[in-house]
């Protein structure tokens, strides 16, 4: 349990939405929450999903797994500190959870050329028939560890550690520069 | 070296995502074992021509330790398992 309120500040420049790439749109995702859930060896995604439905159905959100028995629970609504404490208190043995909303930064990359842009940095196959909508993968963009999730046909969400966010942000703009 | 490694958790990934730790050492000697047995365990490594087992860390992905069986001549990777699965059998 944290002892002081987390101050969530965007790591991006003042007007991050201003990017001039016609075929690619890069935007930060400022709202929402990121919880990191750790499970013991018996924990499954199904059991965690059921648990979430039982204790916090109003939050919704999605689970993506960076590693066995670990999940990022990511959603778009704001969660107060008190509500987080409530959820934490209801979590049974075998699960542990920390609020990572301040520590992980999400950004949305979309557009018809999005795969050409991401292909310059990441080595996994993001082809539409291989990487389905909703699928996610923990990988690297350049040398920066990032979680890539496909949210729609030509839309991807990228989540990185906060300290890498601006660096990746600049890199993405360089990668997208040819589509201006 | 083959450029794609099939991580048991993440699927096919480029080898740039992995950090290679080296040979899977012989089982740890008993506490009172001969000094030469300990020297062998701690310092001496084989450099075989052919089948070789190595620890690989999937640093850029799931961050799990894997045990990879690789042929040093053909670079074929015959088997990749999570290192924790070997602990049960005690043969890691």
């Amino acid at each position: 349990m944290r002892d002081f309120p987390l101050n969530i500040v965007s790591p991006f420049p003042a007007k991050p939405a201003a990017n001039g790439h016609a075929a690619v749109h890069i935007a930060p995702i400022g709202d929402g929450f990121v919880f990191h859930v750790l499970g013991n060896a018996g924990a499954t995604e199904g059991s965690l999903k059921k648990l979430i439905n039982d204790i916090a159905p109003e939050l919704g959100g999605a689970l993506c797994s960076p590693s066995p028995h670990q999940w990022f629970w990511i959603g778009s609504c704001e969660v107060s500190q008190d509500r987080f404490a409530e959820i934490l208190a209801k979590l049974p043995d075998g699960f542990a959870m920390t609020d990572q909303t301040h520590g992980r930064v999400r950004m949305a990359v979309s557009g018809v050329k999005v795969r050409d842009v991401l292909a310059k940095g990441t080595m996994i196959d993001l082809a539409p028939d291989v990487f389905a909508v909703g699928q996610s993968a923990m990988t690297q963009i350049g040398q920066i560890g990032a979680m890539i999730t496909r949210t729609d046909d030509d839309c991807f969400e990228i989540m990185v550690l906060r300290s890498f966010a601006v660096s990746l942000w600049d890199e993405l703009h360089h990668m997208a520069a040819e589509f201006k | 070296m083959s450029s794609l490694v099939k991580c048991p958790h993440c699927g096919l990934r480029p080898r740039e995502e992995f950090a290679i730790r080296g040979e899977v050492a012989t089982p740890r000697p008993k506490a009172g074992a001969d000094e030469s047995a300990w020297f062998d365990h701690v310092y001496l490594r084989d450099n075989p021509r052919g089948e070789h087992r190595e620890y690989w860390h999937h640093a850029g992905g799931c961050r799990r330790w894997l045990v990879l069986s690789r042929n040093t001549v053909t670079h074929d990777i015959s088997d990749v398992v999570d290192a924790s699965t070997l602990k049960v059998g005690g043969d890691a």
Side-chain angles (χ1 to χ4, degrees), chain A residues 76-98:
Chain A
S76 53
C77 58
E78 296 288 319
V79 181
S80 73
Q81 198 157 326
D82 294 339
R83 181 71 185 119
F84 179 77
E86 270 174 41
I87 297 168
L88 200 59
K90 283 183 191 162
L91 217 59
D93 286 348
F95 286 101
M97 184 168 79
T98 54

Side-chain angles (χ1 to χ4, degrees), chain A residues 66-68 123-124 137-140, chain B residues 9 13-14 17 60-62 64:
Chain A
S67 184
M123 294 169 277
I124 59 168
M138 192 73 201
T139 181
Q140 290 179 319
Chain B
H9 309 298
R13 292 302 180 93
E17 285 189 4
C62 59
R64 297 289 298 184

Side-chain angles (χ1 to χ4, degrees), chain A residues 24-37:
Chain A
V24 181
H25 185 75
I26 308 166
I29 303 174
D31 305 325
F33 64 87
V34 179
F35 298 154
H36 188 194
V37 187

